[in-house]
Structure formats: C-alpha cells, structure tokens
C-alpha cells in the first residue's frame, strides 16, 4: 500500500539501514536463533566431530554418518520402526479422532468444553505416570484381568510388552495432538457452506467429500504433522508399555548420549531424524496454502 | 529471626536456588553459601539435603543421573566449575577421574578416621577411595550393594538361583520368563557373566563372538526390558520370574513393600576369579572445581553422622546398605524390616562372593553389540 | 390480513400459521402468506425481525415448530433442503473458497452427475447470463471481486435450476453503486427467467426497486404486505412508515370521533378511518416548510440547531419546546442559518395518520 502523501517522511540522514519490519522482529529472531537455531547448530557440529570425542568445532569427520549408513549397521531398523509406528499412529488417530472432533464441533454443544477439558486434563499429568497407569491396567492380575474375572472371562495374558501395545500407548498419548487441530479444522468450515452444499442438492457423503473434508484439511494436516513428528521421536511408550520389544530411534539416540557416551554419533542420528522429519514437514506445509486459511473469511 | 519471617527467608533462598544455575558470576562470588552435587538417586532427596540446608543456610542443588559415564562426561565437558561433589561407582575416581584431573584429593588426616567407623572391609586405606599409587584419599565410601540379578523365590528358590547362577539365563525353559533392567553398563557385565567370561579383562575375538551370541539370545528371549519400577511391578504381578541386572539397589523398594519373595541373588560361582557376582560401592569425591565450595567437605562429614547415614540408606526411591553400619550407633537405627529390605542377613556373604564394579576395557564394542542385539527383538 | 388473490391458481408457496421457536424465543410468530408463481416478493424487516429464520424454513434449512409450508399444494415441512426445488443465495454467498468459479457453478450439476463437458457448457452459459466474462471460469473464487462473487453465487443458484430462488440480503456488503447495478440486473434476471424470487432485506429502498410485492416483518410477524406503491402511499403503522426514512411523528389520542394531539396542542388532520385509541400523525421532512400555513393549526416555532447536507437537499434540525423537528429543503433554496428563529408549518393533506 502506498503511503499517503501527507505522511511525514524520515529525513535521509536519520534513516535507519534496517527496515522497520526487521527491527520489530528482532526479539523474535533472537529468540529463534538462541532457542532453536543455536542448539540445532550445536547438534549439527557435534555430528561432524570425531566419534566418541568432545572435540566439537575443532574436528571434522563424516565418520558418524558413515557409521549410520553402513549397511552392516542395524540402526536402520530403529528408524524404520519409529517411522512405521509414527505412520500407523497417524492412521489410527485419523480414524479415531475424526468422529470425536466432529462431535465436539457439531453435536456435543454446551458439553463440548467439558469434554475437551476431560480430554486435555491428562496432558497435565506426566506421560510416564499415565503410561504406568496403563501398565497397571494391562498387567497380569491387573485392572483388566480383574474386570474380566467378574464376567468369568480370562485372564488374558501377554498383552504387555509387545509392539501392538507400544502402538496403543502412542495412540493414547498423541490423541489430543491430532484431535484439537482437527477440531480447529472442522470448526473452520463455515456452517453456511455446508448448508449451501446441502441446499444445492448434495448428499451427506458428497458434502463431506466436497466441502467439509477439503476445508478442514489444514487442521487435519497440521494434526497429522504434529502427531507424526512427535511420534517419530517417541520413546517412553516403547519402553514402558512395549518393554523395549522394539527399539525406537529416540532410544538409540538416548543410548548414544548416555551409556555409550558417543555424543557425535547421537548427534548424527538426531540430525538424520531431523532431516527426515523436516523434509516431510516441508512437503506437507508446502501443500498448505496458509494465506488461504487465514484470509478465508 | 528478627524482622524477617521464616516464610520470607524460604522464599529468598528458594528464589536464589532457581536463579543460581544461570548466574555463574554471582555463584563465584558466594560459593560459601552454595553446593552443587552430581549424584545417583538418593542424595538428591529432601530428607538428606534439608537438614544440611538448615544447618548451613546454603543453596544446595543436587542432580541425579542413572549412569556413571554420563556424570563423568559432564565434568569432562567443562562442568567442573559447576559441581562440587560427584558420587559415582568405585573404579572411576582412582582409574579415570583423578588421573584426568577431574577431582581433588581429600585431606587424609581429617577424613581417614571416618573409615575406622565403617564396616570391616572398608577400613583405611580402602582401595577404591585411594589413588592408584595409594598416596591420596580421593573420596568417601557410603552406599554399596551386590548387583547381579533378582528372582522371585516363589518361582525359583534362592538355593537354585545361587547354585545355577548366571546359567539360569541359558535355560530355554525360562525364555520369556525374565526381564532385563535397562542399565546397559551392567548389562554388558552380565552378558559376559552369562557367557562365562570375565568382563573386566581384555577380550579376544572369540570371546566377543561368544558375547554377541549370548547378548542376542538373552535380549531376544527377554519378556521385556525396562527400568527398576517396571521390573519390580512385573515380578510382583507374575509377568516375569526373574530379571537380569539387579540387586539390593533395585529390589529393596519392593521388599520394603512386603514382597520378601523377591530377592537379589549373588551366584555362588562365576567367571571373575571364581567370584559369582558383581557389587558396587559409591565413592563421593570433591570435584576439581577452581572455586570449590567449602561446603563440599562439610557435606562429606555431614553424611558420616549415624542419623544422616541411616537417612541416606533409606532415602526415597532406593534403599541400600551403608558403610557406616559398622558403627553400632548407626546400625541400631535400622529396624528389622529395614534390614530385611536390604537383605542384611546375607549381605556379608553376598559381598564376599562379589567382584567389585570395574571398567570393561572393550566396553564400547560390547555396548554396540548389545545395542544392536536389542534391535533384533522387534 | 387481507390478501390480494385475484387468480384461482395454486400458489407456488403457501404458508399457514408458520411458527419457529428457539427455546422460549419465538423467532417467527405465525405467518400466513401465499406467493404466486413468477412473483418477486421481498420481506423487509429490521435485524431480529425473524425474516432470515422465515427464509431458512422456506429453504428447508430449519423446520417449522408449527404450521405448514406447501409447495404447489404439497406439504414440504419435512422435505430436506437437498430434495426441494428451491435454492438459497446466502448473505455470505457461501461460495466454496477452495474451488474455482467454474467448480462453484457446476457444483449442483456435479451432484446430479451431469457429464463434465455438459457441465462446463452450462457453466459458461450461466456466466454469460450473469454478465461475467468466460475467462473467469478457472479463477479461484476467493480472488474475485465482491461483484463477481455476487454474480457467481447467482449463477450457481441458477445452475441448480430451482423453481423458487431465495435471497438472504445478498447485496448488503456491496458498495452503493454496485448494489444499484445488481438490483436492476436481478430484476432483469427475474423477468427473463420467469422464476419465483423471494428476497429478504432490511432496506425498503432495495425492496422498492425490485419487488412485485413487499411484506414488512416485525417481531416474527408480517405487519403489512402489498405492492411497493401501496406500502409507500399507505403505511399502516408508524413502524412501516419509518422504514421509508426519517419522519416527524406526533402522538395522537382518540377523542370523540377523531384524534387530537396527545400533548394537547392543536393539530389539523386529514380524514381517517382509524379507530384505535392511540395513533400517530406522520409528516415527512421534505413536506415541512419554513412558513406557517394559512389558517391552519399545523405550525411550530423553534430554533435551527443543526444542518446536514444530503447532496441535492439539506436537512435542518429545529428545536422547539424540547423536541426536535426535521425539515428538508432543496439545496440553494432560501434557507435559514444556524441559530435562526423559524416558524414551521405543514399541510393537513400531507399528514399520514397511522396506527401505533
């Protein structure tokens, strides 16, 4: 927009070389640089340091990456498990959260805030505590067995410490992270558009496919992305409910930084994960037209 | 306290405790009112620290970690100027930290008398508290315990477990009936023990191949791998009958809850010069901090007090014997139940059958094998 | 309510006792109405008068709490909106923002599984009808201007080929000039298509331009219905009259066979058939003059306190005994200045006597 003619102009001598927009963004930029870019750069720097050393910024080697991509190294299995579990969690939560989100937006009415609160509340309890709660539920002679016994069934055994239980735990923990962006997405679908589609003759299925789903897609995609990114870095579920029946990449990173004291390897593993997840996030975000989402109304 | 309520005082000290870690400059100026401890779980508990806080009026910060290498590498990474005390297992002080200049010796005349009050095997000069050449006192011993494996004696009797020892884990009938505690440094020791190899010597290729075979098989056959709480819960519920890597440190909370059928086992025989098990002794040393808090030595003396030593033994989370039980004034503070929780009645023989925690020369390679073995579970 | 029903034909829409309540709130409080085939009916009312609810019931987006809605003699209360041969143009237009102009227009055709080529041909035809260029077909609808969107919404409604089109104040967001243009185009389209249009607006001015008949709604009821000229010439109540613009209103009270001013001042009134206890004498500002009429009681003395320019004419506020009178005079005429003492007058024949 052109400045109105009567706007007082800064005299040439006093003009700052930094545009005002950039100056205003300085606090946020500093926060991003120190809070986000600097740690990431440190991790990147460690990833090219001599294996099992602390010679960050003073040594350069690609040995850590060579080790990760060495075909004899089975660490690819951890990547595969993490990414596969994350993909499955996203799939499960898409199906599980959609009806709940739809209900929160359209059906539950004045109960919706209360239901949301109930769903949010567990987030205030430590994830590990909640997962231990599920262990008590599924463990031999636990809550599930107790309940089944009342009905003369069971006991069911060997539920715990399996990849399936890991998947259950992850789906439970990340439920809200899929649900609420989805609720937001569905709430962004203007009521008029659904009414209009219906008025123009569309069936429920058609309205869902042509109007509701595409318009809620930004929220759904953000939920998928959030869930995937978090799930790809998950470790507690595989440890506590899964009993390490599968090893996730986050656990390998953890082991490298602790028992192995091989920080450069841990950093390289982390960088590979960041690149995989980052590429995926960029791909998804590229498909989101944020202007359209924000400027719709 | 005139003019200042107790609450105000607590607020002030609490606020300072929060900001202290972020103000290294300010910290340097007032080290006589500050003490930072890097330790295993227990020393960081309020029961242990609060009386010392009250007595010294200082800010005490304690961070607990669950493995030695991480703590030592924190010092290596430059945190010697942060910490005043480090509490790790026995070999690190004399073999690694002192030679690397990470810790400072203690004045022998002042501290050796404390060893005279300890259990007989800790009398001065106590090997793990001394430098390799035997001239310097590098730290104080307090908590210790045997750490091999834990069984449910309702399923496997103590006698069977002690006689069969590590071979239990070679028994195909027990596949899927055991868990593995996720302390991977100990798991490296114990996989060697199951393989019948002394972990603390240099290993031949054949021995490493044997280690790999055992590690892959034992890890694959485990019902689950997890932390101490998971192991105890699984033992109590019957999900598992025994678990590799464990001892009084891990099982004592469950025993204190009345599960006396769960028991730390020290095998009768094993590959380390005939010793069946492995035990740890914590050595607490003063860090080579250029501006070491004068409270560091005060704290080491403070925990020698019988009352405090008993508190350390029964700090939250884990219950352990302490060396100060050699002092009758300390020993009498332990109730019958407490002694049962820490398996006092067999402690002496278990320790006698145990080799002491040591450094595995080819630990890195062994850990890589173990880490890869875990991936084969999926 | 008197209905002018000259032809015996079955009305395209007939409402009988239609009511809609939301909890304890009665949005539509019993409406009887007939709409003839091909008619352009406008419902006018202030916001909250229930006109949108009425329209949504007609379109099938709400169901009546009571009463009957008949389409060509068939009761349609429970027919869902996607099965009704009616189509609503929303106030928001409700265009699908993630679709192009073409896709928006073709939506009802896609619903009916019309082949793509045929759909496109029809869409282009409709674009011509609403006077949009063909090259707008592939444009994202959110990149269109307000007027273009308006026309796209209209084309989409026509693509559905409904018997009755409903309009929910679709022009309210447009600037004055564009609104005027579109009002006329809508009227032309109505004439050309022969379809029945039911239009709601809060602007009587808008209604006057387009409608065959106007119904005025207040508090869920239709208070007057008739041709635009009927309503303009003979508003039945002060409420209806005020819809045409600002008025000088004088409260009347029944006395004997006629009315007198409620405040006791003298007034000359035209003959009236009204019999209610309370009534109002209404005089439009443009019918007031800065002169006392000869031999008439209709005069007021006061001071000019404000002057507004309305372009071709000026409006003056005259304060007299605590109340304000509005007078309008053509620009440039011999006008008083602020602070002048003036005498106002009006003819009894220019006075409307209406119910409360």
């Amino acid at each position: 927009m052109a400045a109105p003619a009567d706007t007082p102009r800064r005299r040439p001598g006093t003009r700052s070389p930094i545009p005002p927009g950039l100056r205003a963004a300085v606090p946020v930029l500093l926060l991003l640089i120190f809070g986000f870019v600097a740690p990431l750069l440190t991790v990147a720097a460690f990833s090219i340091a001599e294996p099992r050393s602390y010679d960050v910024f003073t040594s350069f080697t690609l040995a850590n990456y060579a080790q990760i991509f060495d075909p004899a190294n089975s660490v690819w299995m951890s990547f595969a498990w993490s990414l596969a579990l994350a993909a499955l969690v996203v799939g499960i939560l898409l199906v599980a959260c959609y009806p709940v989100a739809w209900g929160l937006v359209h059906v539950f009415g004045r109960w919706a805030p209360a239901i949301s609160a109930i769903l949010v509340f567990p987030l205030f309890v430590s994830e590990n505590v909640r997962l231990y709660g599920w262990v008590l539920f599924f463990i031999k002679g636990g809550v599930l067995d107790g309940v089944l016994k009342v009905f003369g069934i069971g006991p069911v055994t060997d539920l715990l410490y399996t990849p399936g239980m890991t998947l259950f735990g992850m789906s439970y923990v990340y439920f809200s992270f899929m649900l609420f962006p989805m609720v937001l997405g569905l709430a962004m679908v203007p009521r008029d558009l659904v009414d209009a589609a219906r008025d123009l003759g569309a069936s429920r299925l058609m309205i869902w496919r042509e109007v509701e789903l595409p318009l809620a897609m930004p929220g759904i995609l953000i939920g998928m992305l959030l869930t995937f990114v978090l799930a790809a870095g998950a470790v507690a579920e595989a440890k506590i409910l899964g009993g390490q029946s599968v090893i996730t990449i986050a656990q390998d990173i953890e082991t490298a930084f602790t028992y192995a004291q091989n920080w450069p390897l841990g950093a390289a593993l982390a960088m590979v994960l960041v690149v995989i997840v980052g590429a995926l996030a960029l791909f998804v975000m590229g498909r989101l037209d944020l202007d359209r989402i924000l400027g719709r109304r | 306290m005139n003019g200042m309520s107790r609450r105000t005082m607590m607020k002030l000290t609490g606020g300072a405790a929060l900001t202290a870690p972020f103000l290294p400059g300010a910290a340097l100026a007032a080290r006589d009112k500050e003490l930072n401890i890097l330790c295993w779980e227990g020393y960081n508990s309020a029961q242990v620290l609060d009386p010392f806080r009250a007595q010294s009026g200082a800010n005490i910060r304690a961070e607990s970690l669950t493995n030695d290498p991480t703590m030592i590498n924190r010092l290596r990474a430059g945190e010697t100027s942060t910490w005043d005390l480090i509490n790790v297992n026995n070999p690190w002080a004399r073999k690694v930290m002192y030679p690397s200049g990470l810790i400072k010796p203690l004045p022998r005349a002042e501290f050796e008398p404390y060893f005279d009050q300890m259990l007989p095997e800790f009398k001065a000069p106590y090997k793990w508290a001394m430098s390799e050449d035997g001239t310097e006192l590098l730290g104080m011993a307090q908590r210790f315990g045997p750490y091999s494996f834990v069984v449910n004696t309702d399923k496997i009797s103590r006698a069977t477990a002690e006689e069969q020892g590590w071979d239990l884990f070679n028994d195909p009938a027990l596949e899927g009936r055991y868990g593995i505690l996720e302390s991977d440094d100990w798991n490296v020791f114990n996989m060697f023990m199951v393989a019948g190899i002394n972990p603390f010597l240099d290993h031949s290729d054949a021995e490493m191949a044997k280690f790999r075979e055992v590690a892959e098989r034992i890890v694959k056959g485990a019902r689950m791998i997890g932390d101490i709480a998971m192991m105890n819960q699984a033992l109590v519920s019957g999900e598992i009958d025994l678990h590799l890597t464990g001892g009084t440190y891990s099982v004592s909370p469950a025993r204190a809850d009345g599960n006396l059928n769960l028991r730390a086992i020290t095998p009768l025989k094993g590959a380390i010069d005939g010793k069946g098990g492995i035990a740890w002794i914590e050595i607490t040393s003063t860090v080579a901090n250029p501006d070491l808090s004068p409270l560091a030595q005060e704290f080491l003396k403070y925990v020698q007090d019988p009352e405090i030593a008993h508190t350390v033994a029964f700090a939250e989370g884990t219950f352990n014997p302490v060396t100060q039980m050699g002092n009758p004034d300390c020993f009498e503070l332990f109730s019958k139940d407490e002694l049962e929780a820490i398996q006092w009645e067999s402690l002496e023989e278990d320790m006698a059958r145990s080799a002491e925690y040591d450094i595995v020369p080819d630990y890195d390679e062994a850990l890589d094998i173990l880490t890869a073995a875990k991936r084969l579970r999926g | 309510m008197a209905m002018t029903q000259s032809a015996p034909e079955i009305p395209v829409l007939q409402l009988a006792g239609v009511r809609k309540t939301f909890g304890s709130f009665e949005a539509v409080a019993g409406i009887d109405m007939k709409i003839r085939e091909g008619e352009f009916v406008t419902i006018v009312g202030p916001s909250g008068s229930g006109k949108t609810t009425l329209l949504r019931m007609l379109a099938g987006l709400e169901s009546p709490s009571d009463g009957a809605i008949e389409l060509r003699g068939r009761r349609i209360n429970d027919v869902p909106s996607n099965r009704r041969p009616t189509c609503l143009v929303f106030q928001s237009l409700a265009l699908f923002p993630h679709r192009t102009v073409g896709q928006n227009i073709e939506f009802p055709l896609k619903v009916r599984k019309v082949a793509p080529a045929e759909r496109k041909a029809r869409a282009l035809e409709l674009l011509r009808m609403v006077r949009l260029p063909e090259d707008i077909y592939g444009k994202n609808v959110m990149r269109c201007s307000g007027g273009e969107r308006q026309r796209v919404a209209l084309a989409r409604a026509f693509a559905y080929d409904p018997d009755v089109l409903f309009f929910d104040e679709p022009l309210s967001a447009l600037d004055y000039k564009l609104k005027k243009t579109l009002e006329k185009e809508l009227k032309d389209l109505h004439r050309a298509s022969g379809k029945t249009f039911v239009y709601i607006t809060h602007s009587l001015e808008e209604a006057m331009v387009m409608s065959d008949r106007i119904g005025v709604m207040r508090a869920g009821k239709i208070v007057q219905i008739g041709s635009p000229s009927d309503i303009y010439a003979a508003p039945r109540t002060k409420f209806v009259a005020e819809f045409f613009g600002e008025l000088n209103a004088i409260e009347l009270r029944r006395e004997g066979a006629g009315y007198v001013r409620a405040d006791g001042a003298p007034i000359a009134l035209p003959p009236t058939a009204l019999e209610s206890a309370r009534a109002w004498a209404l005089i439009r500002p443009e019918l007031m003059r800065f002169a006392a009429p000869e031999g008439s009681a209709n005069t007021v003395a006061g001071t000019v306190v404000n002057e507004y320019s309305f372009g071709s004419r000026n409006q003056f506020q005259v304060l007299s005994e605590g109340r304000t009178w509005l007078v309008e005079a053509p620009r440039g005429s011999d006008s008083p200045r602020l602070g002048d003492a003036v005498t106002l007058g009006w003819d009894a024949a220019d006075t409307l006597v209406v119910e409360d």
Side-chain angles (χ1 to χ4, degrees), chain C residues 19-338:
Chain C
R19 283 164 18 88
K20 179 69 183 178
T21 51
F22 297 103
S24 60
F25 173 69
E26 192 168 43
V28 173
I31 287 187
D32 303 277
M33 190 164 84
K34 287 178 186 170
I35 295 170
R36 291 188 296 271
E37 192 82 52
E39 203 177 13
F40 196 134
V41 176
T42 300
I43 309 288
V44 189
S47 33
S49 60
K51 57 191 192 303
T52 297
T53 307
L54 174 65
L55 200 67
R56 288 176 66 84
M57 285 194 285
L58 294 178
L61 298 170
E62 304 278 358
S63 54
S65 310
D66 197 7
I69 301 173
E70 286 180 12
L71 186 102
R72 301 219 168 87
R74 186 171 71 98
R75 183 185 158 97
I76 56 164
N77 283 34
D78 303 318
V79 177
S81 69
N82 56 346
R83 303 256 177 79
R84 292 187 188 192
T86 61
C87 191
L88 171 60
V89 177
F90 287 72
Q91 181 166 20
S92 67
L93 303 181
L95 293 171
F96 303 129
H98 54 304
R99 298 285 191 246
T100 63
V101 167
Q103 287 168 326
N104 263 281
I105 298 175
E106 289 175 28
F107 184 85
L109 305 173
K110 196 174 170 186
V111 169
R112 284 180 205 158
K113 301 188 169 61
V114 175
E118 199 179 325
R119 285 202 311 245
K120 180 164 185 183
R122 176 73 182 133
L124 292 175
E125 196 179 304
L126 288 163
L127 281 176
R128 278 194 297 278
M129 185 189 86
V130 297
R131 301 180 197 180
L132 283 173
E134 281 195 6
D135 60 12
I136 207 173
Y137 177 86
K139 193 171 172 182
N140 182 289
V141 76
M142 296 319 277
R143 298 190 194 283
C144 293
S145 70
E148 287 168 343
R149 289 184 205 181
Q150 184 64 54
R151 291 178 160 100
V152 173
L154 198 58
R156 186 178 68 177
F158 268 94
Y160 185 65
D161 196 23
D163 293 352
V164 184
L165 276 107
F166 301 117
F167 298 86
D168 184 0
E169 304 202 43
L171 305 183
S172 56
L174 300 177
D175 65 58
Y176 185 80
K177 187 168 170 242
L178 190 55
K179 191 189 288 196
K180 287 289 146 199
T181 312
L182 285 170
E183 279 171 8
K184 291 188 179 107
E185 283 185 26
L186 207 54
K187 182 70 192 161
D188 292 346
L189 260 179
H190 171 249
R191 209 171 279 132
S193 66
K195 291 185 187 297
T196 308
F197 281 26
V198 179
Y199 194 98
I200 65 174
T201 176
H202 60 270
S203 155
L204 191 59
E205 193 187 338
E206 202 172 305
M208 298 286 285
V209 177
M210 301 185 286
S211 318
D212 299 326
R213 266 198 308 155
I214 296 173
V216 182
M217 254 187 107
R218 183 189 195 185
K221 288 198 162 96
I222 290 181
V223 291
Q224 189 169 1
I225 190 162
S227 70
S229 54
D230 282 351
I231 292 197
Y232 182 81
R236 188 171 296 138
T237 63
K238 177 169 172 261
F239 175 81
V240 174
E242 275 173 347
F243 251 93
F244 290 91
E246 291 172 300
L247 289 164
N248 294 299
I250 303 164
E251 193 174 357
L252 304 176
R253 135 173 93 72
R254 187 90 186 157
E255 196 171 278
Y259 289 93
V260 296
R261 267 177 77 157
D263 59 10
I267 188 169
L269 294 168
T272 175
L274 277 188
E275 288 180 359
S276 61
R278 271 179 85 207
W280 292 85
L282 306 176
I283 309 104
R284 298 193 183 282
E286 65 269 27
L287 298 174
M288 301 282 280
R289 288 189 306 273
F290 286 112
E294 273 176 47
S296 166
N298 296 340
T299 181
V300 168
T303 313
V304 177
V305 291
N306 257 322
E307 180 181 352
Y308 307 101
S309 172
F310 286 179
S312 62
R313 62 214 155 87
N314 290 342
Q315 188 186 69
F316 300 89
Q317 282 189 353
V318 176
L319 191 65
S320 167
E321 291 170 19
R323 67 164 287 176
T324 306
W325 297 78
L326 300 176
V327 185
E328 282 175 22
R331 211 156 78 108
S333 62
D334 191 15
S335 308
R337 283 195 297 274
L338 285 187

Side-chain angles (χ1 to χ4, degrees), chain B residues 82-207:
Chain B
T82 304
W83 303 104
D84 300 299
L85 289 171
I86 180 165
N87 157 256
V88 285
N89 284 314
N90 46 293
W92 303 103
R94 66 183 269 147
K95 291 193 175 178
V96 175
M97 292 196 293
Y98 184 61
S100 306
L102 299 173
I103 54 173
K104 286 181 185 172
L106 293 168
R108 287 183 71 166
E110 220 173 308
F111 281 91
E112 277 193 340
Y114 288 108
F115 284 85
D116 297 336
Q117 296 284 306
M118 295 181 186
L119 289 163
E121 46 280 44
F122 298 94
K123 297 294 180 212
Y126 177 57
K127 176 189 165 189
W128 295 109
M130 304 303 289
S131 61
E132 296 268 28
D133 61 8
T135 58
E136 300 284 2
L137 177 64
L138 300 180
M140 299 298 286
Q142 188 156 38
R143 303 193 296 185
F144 67 98
Y147 216 56
S148 297
F149 59 86
V150 172
V151 303
N152 178 349
T153 52
D154 293 347
K155 303 287 176 67
I156 299 165
S157 74
R158 176 184 170 189
T160 309
E162 288 183 348
E163 274 159 29
Q164 294 205 14
W166 302 101
D167 261 347
L168 275 176
F169 295 92
N170 288 321
D171 182 355
L174 285 176
E175 195 185 316
R177 300 299 313 153
Y178 62 87
I180 299 176
L181 184 63
E182 64 180 356
S183 293
D184 279 348
D185 43 353
W186 285 91
N187 285 329
V188 166
F189 306 163
N190 293 343
M191 295 297 170
F192 276 117
M193 296 301 274
V194 174
I197 300 166
N198 182 341
F200 304 127
L201 301 177
D202 271 310
H203 300 106
S204 66
D205 288 350
E207 283 173 326

Side-chain angles (χ1 to χ4, degrees), chain A residues 200-280:
Chain A
L200 290 165
S203 63
R204 276 186 189 283
L205 182 68
M206 182 104 179
I207 294 170
W208 179 76
R209 206 181 61 204
E210 295 282 328
V211 180
E212 195 175 89
L213 196 58
L215 289 178
M217 203 39 101
I220 296 174
L221 277 179
I222 289 169
M224 288 171 70
L225 194 65
L226 203 60
T227 312
F228 187 88
V229 171
L230 289 171
V235 65
E237 299 81 8
K239 280 188 165 187
I240 295 171
L241 281 171
Q244 301 186 21
S245 50
V246 297
I247 306 298
T248 63
I249 189 60
Q251 189 179 338
D252 270 319
I253 294 172
E254 197 181 289
T255 302
F257 275 103
T258 55
Y259 294 108
Q261 284 301 311
N262 193 349
W263 292 16
L265 177 67
L269 287 170
M271 287 309 293
V272 173
L273 185 64
V274 165
V275 167
I276 293 175
V277 172
L280 201 91

Side-chain angles (χ1 to χ4, degrees), chain A residues 52 54 74-75 77-78 132 135-136 139-140 158 160-161 239-240 243-245 247 252 258-261, chain B residues 69-70 73 182-185 223-225 227 230 233 237-239 363-364 367-368 371 374-375 377-378:
Chain A
R52 298 186 200 277
Y54 300 89
S74 58
V75 73
M77 294 174 73
S78 306
Y132 276 116
V135 170
L136 290 177
I139 205 166
K140 201 167 175 177
D158 295 353
L160 277 176
Y161 316 132
K239 280 188 165 187
I240 295 171
Q244 301 186 21
S245 50
I247 306 298
D252 270 319
T258 55
Y259 294 108
Q261 284 301 311
Chain B
T70 301
N73 283 313
E182 64 180 356
S183 293
D184 279 348
D185 43 353
R223 176 95 174 89
M224 90 297 200
I225 303 170
D227 62 16
M230 284 174 70
Q233 202 173 39
S237 67
E239 290 273 0
Y363 172 77
D364 290 342
L367 182 68
D368 283 349
T371 304
K374 284 190 182 183
R375 296 189 194 113
R377 279 168 62 76

Side-chain angles (χ1 to χ4, degrees), chain B residues 35-349:
Chain B
L35 179 67
N36 294 328
I37 309 171
L38 196 56
C39 58
W40 278 81
E41 189 178 16
Y43 283 104
N44 59 330
S45 71
Q47 299 139 278
V48 175
L49 296 180
D50 280 353
F52 190 69
R53 284 187 177 118
Q55 166 191 323
S56 64
N59 283 319
I60 318 290
R61 183 160 76 105
E63 185 175 335
S64 85
L65 292 169
T66 55
N67 67 81
D68 299 324
T70 301
M71 288 193 243
I72 292 157
N73 283 313
R74 293 275 291 267
L75 298 190
R76 281 211 177 106
E79 292 187 21
T80 42
S81 53
T82 304
W83 303 104
D84 300 299
L85 289 171
I86 180 165
N87 157 256
V88 285
N89 284 314
N90 46 293
W92 303 103
R94 66 183 269 147
K95 291 193 175 178
V96 175
M97 292 196 293
Y98 184 61
S100 306
L102 299 173
I103 54 173
K104 286 181 185 172
L106 293 168
R108 287 183 71 166
E110 220 173 308
F111 281 91
E112 277 193 340
Y114 288 108
F115 284 85
D116 297 336
Q117 296 284 306
M118 295 181 186
L119 289 163
E121 46 280 44
F122 298 94
K123 297 294 180 212
Y126 177 57
K127 176 189 165 189
W128 295 109
M130 304 303 289
S131 61
E132 296 268 28
D133 61 8
T135 58
E136 300 284 2
L137 177 64
L138 300 180
M140 299 298 286
Q142 188 156 38
R143 303 193 296 185
F144 67 98
Y147 216 56
S148 297
F149 59 86
V150 172
V151 303
N152 178 349
T153 52
D154 293 347
K155 303 287 176 67
I156 299 165
S157 74
R158 176 184 170 189
T160 309
E162 288 183 348
E163 274 159 29
Q164 294 205 14
W166 302 101
D167 261 347
L168 275 176
F169 295 92
N170 288 321
D171 182 355
L174 285 176
E175 195 185 316
R177 300 299 313 153
Y178 62 87
I180 299 176
L181 184 63
E182 64 180 356
S183 293
D184 279 348
D185 43 353
W186 285 91
N187 285 329
V188 166
F189 306 163
N190 293 343
M191 295 297 170
F192 276 117
M193 296 301 274
V194 174
I197 300 166
N198 182 341
F200 304 127
L201 301 177
D202 271 310
H203 300 106
S204 66
D205 288 350
E207 283 173 326
M208 289 312 278
K210 173 76 172 156
F211 175 86
R212 178 189 301 273
E213 181 271 314
V214 168
E216 286 178 359
R217 179 164 44 79
I218 302 293
V219 166
K220 180 94 182 160
R223 176 95 174 89
M224 90 297 200
I225 303 170
D227 62 16
I228 290 174
M230 284 174 70
M231 291 303 135
N232 285 330
Q233 202 173 39
L235 281 169
V236 168
S237 67
E239 290 273 0
I240 55 172
D241 298 336
L242 71 166
H243 74 82
L244 190 68
T245 294
T248 40
Y249 183 90
S250 72
V251 79
S252 53
R255 287 177 64 85
D257 279 348
N259 300 293
L260 293 172
N261 55 330
L262 309 186
R263 186 172 178 89
I265 295 293
T266 304
L268 295 177
K269 56 185 189 309
I272 311 171
D273 305 328
K275 299 243 184 188
I278 301 172
W280 53 273
I281 304 97
E282 284 173 4
I283 300 292
T284 310
S285 307
T286 48
V287 173
N289 189 324
D291 189 23
L292 184 71
S293 167
L295 294 171
Q297 290 191 13
E298 288 305 307
F299 187 80
L300 286 179
K301 291 174 186 169
Y302 158 79
V303 293
Q304 306 302 319
D305 175 81
E307 290 268 0
I308 303 300
H310 174 253
T311 307
V312 168
F314 275 81
E316 65 191 19
T318 166
F319 313 137
N320 300 281
V322 288
T323 58
Q324 288 76 12
M325 290 171 86
N327 178 353
D329 290 345
C330 180
F331 185 79
E332 71 185 11
L333 297 172
F334 287 79
S335 69
K336 181 176 165 291
D337 286 348
E338 285 176 341
L339 292 174
E340 243 171 2
I342 58 175
Q343 296 180 215
W344 173 257
E345 91 291 348
S346 67
L347 184 63
E348 197 178 337
E349 52 175 299

